[in-house]
Amino acid sequence: MATTKKTTSKETKATDKKKTTARKEAAAPAKKAPARETLTAEEKARVKKLKETLALLKADPEWPKFLQEQKQALLNLRDEMLPNMQNVTRDHLRSGASNVSSSSGQHIGDAGSEAEVRDLTIRLLDKDREQLFEIDAALERIRRGTYGICEISLDPIPKKRLQVRPFCRLTVKCQEEYEKKYGSYANYRAKKQDHVGYADLQNDMENAISLDDSEE
């Protein structure tokens, strides 16, 4: 009888101990995944090059004023484009509704011409939307402090080129090499979040590549 009581007491203590351990584990904060400690050789080279280019831009006493001028030029472009896009879209929708109501009595040649006009309108709208995206992306680069840096070579983009095309991403040399490889109408897009000009405009600064000296 005494043996049974001792065994029961030990089991109870063991159960209580397990419950206490489980409660502590549940209350403990979740462990974060270990951060990557080292960069690849390519990433280190990009960080070093980016720092050098940023230092060159910051050393230019006229750069802050130039940035403000470019920002205003981009905003002006945006303001000019939006009303035109809205008007074209509205006219396109009205034309489409009119064509649907009168298509039964329409000559086949006229129908073909109107279809071509609609296709052209859609292509123009797509082109305008692409340019609007590039304007917003350039404004984001100004906010992040990476405007005027070629997204492939990480060299500074000449001011004259930026004045002519304020939303450009590449130097002339890199643009020509990219188009030679992918075609005249190919648009460069950074594929990695830690690269200058990454296309996702919703990314915060924390997602950009770190420029801390500790990562060299």
Side-chain angles (χ1 to χ4, degrees), residues 14-53:
T15 303
D16 291 342
K17 188 176 180 180
K18 287 181 180 179
K19 289 181 179 178
T20 302
T21 303
R23 282 197 296 270
K24 287 181 179 179
E25 289 177 352
K31 293 182 179 179
K32 293 183 179 180
R36 190 179 60 171
E37 295 180 357
T38 59
L39 297 173
T40 65
E42 181 186 356
E43 288 170 333
K44 286 182 179 179
R46 285 185 66 85
V47 170
K48 183 178 179 181
K49 179 66 175 179
L50 183 54
K51 285 182 178 181
E52 292 172 353
T53 301

Side-chain angles (χ1 to χ4, degrees), residues 88 91-92 95 99 110-124:
V88 172
D91 293 344
H92 174 66
S95 174
N99 290 337
D110 295 336
S113 298
E114 290 186 2
E116 290 177 2
V117 171
R118 286 198 300 273
D119 289 343
L120 177 60
T121 303
I122 291 171
R123 286 197 296 271
L124 290 173

Side-chain angles (χ1 to χ4, degrees), residues 46 49 149-158 161 168-184 186-189:
R46 285 185 66 85
K49 179 66 175 179
I149 299 175
C150 176
E151 296 179 20
I152 292 179
S153 67
L154 298 181
D155 289 323
I157 300 174
R161 174 163 170 77
C168 69
R169 295 173 178 265
L170 309 174
T171 59
V172 172
K173 180 182 177 182
C174 287
Q175 183 72 43
E176 289 176 348
E177 290 176 353
Y178 189 79
E179 289 182 358
K180 189 181 295 183
K181 186 174 182 180
Y182 296 102
S184 301
N187 293 314
Y188 176 80
R189 290 284 187 276

